[in-house]
Amino acid sequence: MLKAKLALPPAQPMSLSRPRLLDLMAGSLKQPLTLLCAPAGFGKTTLLSTWVNEAVDRPAVAWLGLDEDDSDPVRFFDYLRAALQGASVEVGCSATAPLSGAGSPSPKDRMASLLDDLTELDHPVVLVLDDYQAIDNPELDAALTFLVEHLPEHLRLIVATRKDPQWPLSRWRTRQWVADVGVDQLRFTPDEAMAFFARSMGLTLDAESARTLAARTEGWVAGLQIAALSLQRHMQSHGAVNLAQVAAAFSGEHRHVIDYLAAEVMRQQPQDLQDFLRKTCILDRFSADLCDAVTERTDSRQMLVRVERANLFLRRLDDQGRWFRYHQLLADFLREGLAESERIELHRRASAWFESHGMGKDAIKHALAARSDADAVRLFRSLVEDMLARGELPTLLAWLDMLPASLVRQHQDLAGYQAWLLFMSGRTVEAEEYYALTGAPNVAESSQEHKGILFALQAFLAITSDNPARAIELSRQALDQLGSSTSFFRVWALFYQGLGLLRTGLPKPATEMLRQALELGWAFGHRMTALDALAHLAPLMSAQGQLREAQLLCRTSLERCSPSDEAQAPISGLILIPMGMLAYERNELQEAVELLEAGVALCGQLGNLYHTLAGECALAKVHHARGAREQAWNALAAAQDLADRSRNPRRQRMVRIAIADLQLREGNVAAANQTFEEIRGAVESSVEGQLLHARLLLASNHALAALRILGTVEVSCRSQGQAGLLVTVHVLQALGHRANGGRGATLEHLERAVSLAASGGYVRPFLDGDAALAGLLRQVSSAAPAFVSGLLEQFRQPADEDVVEANTAGLTGTQLEVLRLVSQGLANQQIATQLVITLGTAKWHVSQIFEKLGVRNRAQAIAKARQSKLL
């Protein structure tokens, strides 16, 4: 991370203080957003620098200077978080959670997570984004839009840019959210122009000449500076003679100013200084050591002092004077004059320097500019694993796109990365083209590690294309090649082998593989993959009769994310969703709702569609069990929309199964049968599909057919050690025999179900079965008296009395309680403690309250709630 991007700008030598603009900046902080929008050379950064260094009683400032590389969301949020922390703002990792191939969260969702932390801000802070025009990512525009529209009370945003961002500025201006500081305000007045010439440039001009130059340049400070440099040259050659005439002849037109830059500024410099400027102009930011490497000189530090003293558009980026950049006007002008061969050589030297200093991302950027394909490929391979783990997918894809397509196609690992990254970015057709190139690894060109990486990539793509058998084989080959490596791809291969085994109906070996992925993921620091494995492993353990063990594993994993602020990061959603599912099995419905709602929100931010869908489907089941039918169907509607937009058949089937289940729970057997028939061919061989089919047959009075299916499932569950799933099987078998008149078999299966359920605490299989089971349970209570007694008590309880289907604001019962505590001044942690929920859940509820009430902070929420008689 380049600290110069985050450093508060030092006072610039020769800069002019402009009190009217400082007053304008101070007054602008009454609005959420201050927008400094003007072309290059109008002094936006200089004004901000002066304000930072001269303003009296200004708030704390979080500064971030942007460049084109910051269009990558992960990089942007890394720097944004660091900038805020530099202003003593406590923000966690929720906006910058690392990823490892499950799909990037949208920048808007990352911003929502960051806002959770900023809600607690208790002192005024100004966030400054300089050079925002460098950002070329509509999703980041959307994220900043979300920030402005939900800006906490103590935070203000200042943005300097050369063009209007793609934000709803008209709407914001109507609402008086924007303080505009544009060209008209930034132009130098004649008096300011005269002061600039005298104090900054050492020129004494008469008032008429100063007014003339201010008018000719239209107050453009870069034009004034170039004119002043021209006048300085004239004075050196001719003294003050005809100075007024020279000033009067100056044209402020942009093209003419560029001509002056060439003729009157550059050509007047000594040849060694011109040469230094030309060779260093390829660098966005530079230090003396870097300049030495690029220019092959040893006196760059002295040269930079000369450039600064000559006022040649050089800007310091830190107080120590170690890092600098040229004004864009000068850099653009100099770059136009570079010969192609010289430009390539300069980029090559820059790449070598950055690589030798451990700055690989800058190194590959210059290697690509130098068309040094071999170096770019080598650097890509050295960086890709860490960047995948961090989720910097757009940057990786941009690098591959900059390489010749023919080169990418020649290397199977590059083609594999390209296929995967294209798939993740939604460019499916292109992804399939590159996927076709990732056949068996070429032994002649690939090392063992590269072959292992390629096999792991192919395993992912096989899982994605619904080919679990091939994913198993490819994962095994990847593991053979990677051996005992600590590589990210070794954990990845274990994970996808586990998924492949699970989806081919082999839960026992799948459990072992997912355990390994979990343990190695923690050990190697690949938390995302570890927790993705946990999210699949916990339901598997529950199916195997290890409900309590699964619960303990989830809690332990959550504790490994805390007590640091990363417990609220989106990846913790991968723990909360299975915890919610486990709570449902124990019939702890309120806890299940809290966990699932928070988990779904976090997984949505994470961009993990599979677990978001799984959480929504589970949430629908919980809502229905509590008597909240409308909320149940709303959850499934949201899941259906997500699944349809993904165009993934497996995800669509997951939601259709959940819909058929809910239809069946409501007694709508015909609709449930119709839904099941739509997916029957794809799911009837799975245990989940077979159990749904058996329930449909029981509801349709076809008990014998149902018992035949359940007998097959029982044999399978016993062979795979799925004792937890056998509880459900035995309950359904009891219902089937009861419908068929077999009393002895009914009690026998019910007793088996009770015996298996008692140790793990499985309650829902009985409650989801049939109310008539309550009477039969008394006859098998000797199998587990305490458990049956508690079970019968559960049968007697009505639907959850806390369920609130609707109110004037659409808030749930829990959210109304959170709102009440917010009105009492309790912080999020105090709310979490009082309601016995996690801090992340409390934060999520607070953000939902803000969204539903249409407010941006706690004070507004309380006022709106009182107005709506919610308090």
Side-chain angles (χ1 to χ4, degrees):
M1 189 169 286
L2 188 61
K3 292 181 180 179
K5 287 164 60 70
L6 305 169
L8 292 181
Q12 299 296 325
M14 313 296 285
S15 65
L16 176 71
S17 179
R18 302 169 73 187
R20 68 178 179 88
L21 289 182
L22 295 180
D23 291 342
L24 187 62
M25 290 299 299
S28 75
L29 298 182
K30 296 175 183 177
Q31 277 74 42
L33 169 66
T34 301
L35 186 64
L36 277 73
C37 184
F42 267 92
K44 300 181 293 296
T45 303
T46 300
L47 170 59
L48 290 173
S49 170
T50 306
W51 174 71
V52 165
N53 286 284
E54 294 186 14
V56 178
D57 296 329
R58 65 164 174 78
V61 174
W63 181 280
L64 174 54
L66 299 165
D67 55 46
E68 60 185 15
D69 292 337
D70 297 317
S71 290
D72 185 306
V74 172
R75 179 182 170 94
F76 176 87
F77 278 99
D78 273 345
Y79 273 107
L80 180 59
R81 176 171 170 252
L84 289 165
Q85 288 178 332
S88 300
V89 178
E90 294 184 6
V91 290
C93 299
S94 54
T96 55
L99 307 173
S100 61
S104 298
S106 74
K108 181 178 176 181
D109 288 333
R110 287 180 182 270
M111 188 64 78
S113 297
L114 186 65
L115 277 166
D116 280 346
D117 297 320
L118 295 175
T119 301
E120 301 293 321
L121 196 61
D122 59 1
H123 63 282
V125 174
V126 175
L127 170 61
V128 178
L129 301 180
D130 193 23
D131 287 326
Y132 189 80
Q133 76 282 343
I135 298 300
D136 183 19
N137 187 328
E139 288 192 298
L140 283 177
D141 287 331
L144 269 297
T145 298
F146 187 83
L147 172 65
V148 173
E149 294 187 341
H150 297 82
L151 211 63
E153 186 176 1
H154 290 296
L155 183 66
R156 291 292 179 265
L157 178 64
I158 297 178
V159 175
T161 176
R162 295 179 194 169
K163 58 182 182 181
D164 276 346
Q166 296 301 305
W167 299 340
L169 293 172
S170 297
R171 186 174 82 237
W172 292 350
R173 285 172 178 136
T174 301
R175 296 180 180 179
Q176 297 185 334
W177 286 4
V178 185
D180 285 293
V181 180
V183 171
D184 290 341
Q185 290 80 22
L186 291 169
R187 295 186 200 280
F188 271 59
T189 66
D191 288 343
E192 287 173 335
M194 182 176 289
F196 172 74
F197 288 130
R199 298 176 196 170
S200 299
M201 304 301 292
L203 286 169
T204 302
L205 291 182
D206 61 276
E208 183 62 31
S209 295
R211 277 195 296 271
T212 299
L213 286 172
R216 289 287 174 85
T217 60
E218 297 184 352
W220 182 39
V221 66
L224 288 170
Q225 187 172 357
I226 293 170
L229 290 169
S230 176
L231 293 173
Q232 285 177 341
R233 300 287 179 268
H234 177 85
M235 291 189 67
Q236 290 171 3
S237 302
H238 305 94
V241 178
N242 298 325
L243 195 61
Q245 290 88 329
V246 174
F250 186 85
S251 169
E253 294 179 7
H254 185 76
R255 182 66 255 169
H256 191 72
V257 167
I258 296 299
D259 291 342
Y260 258 84
L261 188 61
E264 301 295 331
V265 178
M266 287 303 301
R267 292 176 190 171
Q268 298 296 327
Q269 304 304 323
Q271 187 58 47
D272 65 334
L273 190 57
Q274 286 190 48
D275 184 63
F276 177 82
L277 291 168
R278 189 183 71 254
K279 289 181 176 179
T280 54
C281 71
I282 64 153
L283 302 167
D284 295 328
R285 291 174 174 81
F286 46 84
S287 64
D289 291 342
L290 174 55
C291 291
D292 278 345
V294 171
T295 61
E296 297 186 319
R297 305 174 67 108
T298 58
D299 61 346
S300 292
R301 194 172 304 280
Q302 290 77 18
M303 295 300 293
L304 288 170
V305 171
R306 287 175 60 187
V307 173
E308 189 171 37
R309 285 176 178 170
N311 208 5
L312 291 176
F313 295 89
L314 183 72
R315 179 171 296 281
R316 290 188 182 196
L317 295 179
D318 55 30
D319 286 318
Q320 294 76 32
R322 291 186 298 184
W323 285 91
F324 302 85
R325 70 174 172 88
Y326 293 127
H327 191 288
Q328 196 63 46
L329 280 174
L330 178 62
D332 289 346
F333 169 75
L334 292 170
R335 288 168 187 170
E336 284 185 9
L338 277 177
E340 181 74 2
S341 58
E342 184 177 24
R343 182 188 64 79
I344 288 174
E345 176 59 22
L346 293 172
H347 279 296
R348 187 195 63 77
R349 294 175 192 168
S351 178
W353 186 89
F354 278 117
E355 183 178 5
S356 68
H357 286 74
M359 303 170 74
K361 295 177 187 177
D362 293 285
I364 193 172
K365 180 179 177 180
H366 285 283
L368 288 164
R371 300 176 187 171
S372 180
D373 295 340
D375 287 334
V377 170
R378 177 176 52 79
L379 287 164
F380 181 92
R381 285 170 170 160
S382 70
L383 294 168
V384 65
E385 188 165 329
D386 180 62
M387 291 181 68
L388 283 176
R390 288 180 44 74
E392 296 185 65
L393 309 186
T395 298
L396 289 170
L397 183 56
W399 289 345
L400 288 173
D401 283 341
M402 291 174 69
L403 286 169
S406 57
L407 178 67
V408 175
R409 290 188 174 97
Q410 289 171 18
H411 297 278
Q412 291 173 308
D413 62 330
L414 298 185
Y417 288 126
Q418 183 86 326
W420 181 54
L421 291 165
L422 287 168
F423 179 86
M424 299 301 288
S425 65
R427 294 159 61 181
T428 307
V429 174
E430 296 170 80
E432 289 173 350
E433 175 190 344
Y434 281 93
Y435 182 31
L437 301 173
T438 60
N442 186 320
V443 177
E445 79 157 23
S446 298
S447 67
Q448 274 196 309
E449 183 179 10
H450 284 166
K451 284 187 283 188
I453 290 171
L454 179 57
F455 281 133
L457 284 168
Q458 289 177 320
F460 164 80
L461 295 166
I463 280 286
T464 300
S465 20
D466 216 5
N467 191 347
R470 177 159 172 75
I472 294 170
E473 180 56 32
L474 289 166
S475 297
R476 284 174 179 159
Q477 291 176 284
L479 292 169
D480 288 342
Q481 298 296 327
L482 293 169
S484 59
S485 165
T486 60
S487 168
F488 160 82
F489 289 98
R490 180 180 165 200
V491 182
W492 223 39
L494 285 167
F495 174 57
Y496 283 112
Q497 186 171 5
L499 281 190
L501 291 165
L502 180 59
R503 291 177 188 172
T504 51
L506 297 170
K508 203 169 185 177
T511 301
E512 177 57 32
M513 207 56 60
L514 291 172
R515 278 190 182 277
Q516 289 185 44
L518 173 63
E519 291 167 6
L520 287 183
W522 281 121
F524 298 166
H526 304 313
R527 297 188 313 141
M528 173 70 185
T529 307
L531 295 183
D532 208 346
L534 173 67
H536 287 85
L537 178 60
L540 261 180
M541 293 173 66
S542 176
Q544 292 166 357
Q546 299 174 320
L547 182 60
R548 298 187 193 280
E549 293 86 344
Q551 179 185 1
L552 180 61
L553 181 60
C554 287
R555 286 178 176 170
T556 303
S557 297
L558 193 60
E559 287 170 5
R560 294 185 76 166
C561 292
S562 53
S564 74
D565 47 23
E566 295 192 18
Q568 285 74 55
I571 57 169
S572 62
L574 297 174
I575 310 173
L576 298 181
I577 285 177
M579 287 182 74
M581 294 175 177
L582 299 176
Y584 175 77
E585 291 298 327
R586 300 189 307 274
N587 199 39
E588 296 169 356
L589 300 184
Q590 179 61 33
E591 181 182 350
V593 167
E594 298 288 352
L595 291 166
L596 287 168
E597 284 183 342
V600 165
L602 291 171
C603 282
Q605 294 167 19
L606 185 60
N608 190 311
L609 183 57
Y610 174 82
H611 291 295
T612 302
L613 289 174
E616 290 280 20
C617 291
L619 193 54
K621 195 159 54 174
V622 178
H623 279 317
H624 194 272
R626 298 171 70 225
R629 292 183 60 255
E630 191 65 28
Q631 288 174 271
W633 285 110
N634 285 343
L636 284 186
Q640 182 76 68
D641 181 59
L642 286 172
D644 288 345
R645 281 193 280 128
S646 76
R647 298 182 180 180
N648 184 300
R650 184 171 56 82
R651 292 167 181 164
Q652 290 171 325
R653 290 196 298 269
M654 179 199 302
V655 178
R656 299 306 288 170
I657 286 176
I659 290 172
D661 172 75
L662 202 57
Q663 289 168 334
L664 190 55
R665 287 168 186 264
E666 295 205 326
N668 194 345
V669 180
N673 268 309
Q674 183 177 342
T675 304
F676 178 70
E677 287 300 323
E678 295 172 7
I679 55 173
R680 180 172 179 171
V683 304
E684 63 182 348
S685 62
S686 69
V687 171
E688 186 179 27
Q690 288 173 315
L691 289 177
L692 177 59
H693 191 192
R695 289 172 57 213
L696 285 166
L697 289 169
L698 287 172
S700 305
N701 299 316
H702 298 299
L704 287 176
L707 288 170
R708 282 194 293 270
I709 292 174
L710 291 169
T712 303
V713 176
E714 180 184 1
V715 171
S716 173
C717 288
R718 290 189 184 283
S719 67
Q720 293 291 335
Q722 293 184 288
L725 202 53
L726 272 173
V727 175
T728 299
V729 174
H730 284 311
V731 168
L732 292 176
Q733 285 174 317
L735 291 172
H737 284 295
R738 178 177 173 274
N740 203 41
R743 177 178 174 79
T746 299
L747 294 177
E748 179 185 348
H749 282 289
L750 196 55
E751 186 174 6
R752 290 179 186 175
V754 167
S755 298
L756 290 170
S759 59
Y762 296 84
V763 175
R764 284 312 307 187
F766 300 94
L767 300 182
D768 290 340
D770 192 316
L773 284 176
L776 296 173
L777 281 168
R778 293 186 180 90
Q779 300 178 46
V780 296
S781 61
S782 60
F787 176 72
V788 171
S789 176
L791 199 52
L792 291 172
E793 183 63 31
Q794 300 272 19
F795 269 106
R796 287 190 289 270
Q797 287 183 0
D800 195 328
E801 296 176 359
D802 292 334
V803 173
V804 179
E805 286 288 353
N807 56 49
T808 53
L811 301 178
T812 66
T814 301
Q815 286 164 2
L816 285 170
E817 182 63 15
V818 170
L819 180 59
R820 183 181 66 80
L821 296 175
V822 166
S823 72
Q824 295 175 5
L826 271 65
N828 286 342
Q829 182 60 68
Q830 294 171 306
I831 293 171
T833 301
Q834 187 150 334
L835 296 182
V836 197
I837 58 178
T838 67
L839 177 59
T841 302
K843 286 185 175 184
W844 183 82
H845 279 307
V846 170
S847 68
Q848 286 292 294
I849 290 168
F850 288 176
E851 184 172 333
K852 290 178 179 180
L853 294 180
V855 299
R856 292 187 295 149
N857 56 51
R858 289 173 169 239
Q860 292 176 356
I862 294 167
K864 183 71 174 286
R866 286 175 177 159
Q867 181 183 356
S868 303
K869 302 188 184 306
L870 296 174
L871 289 174

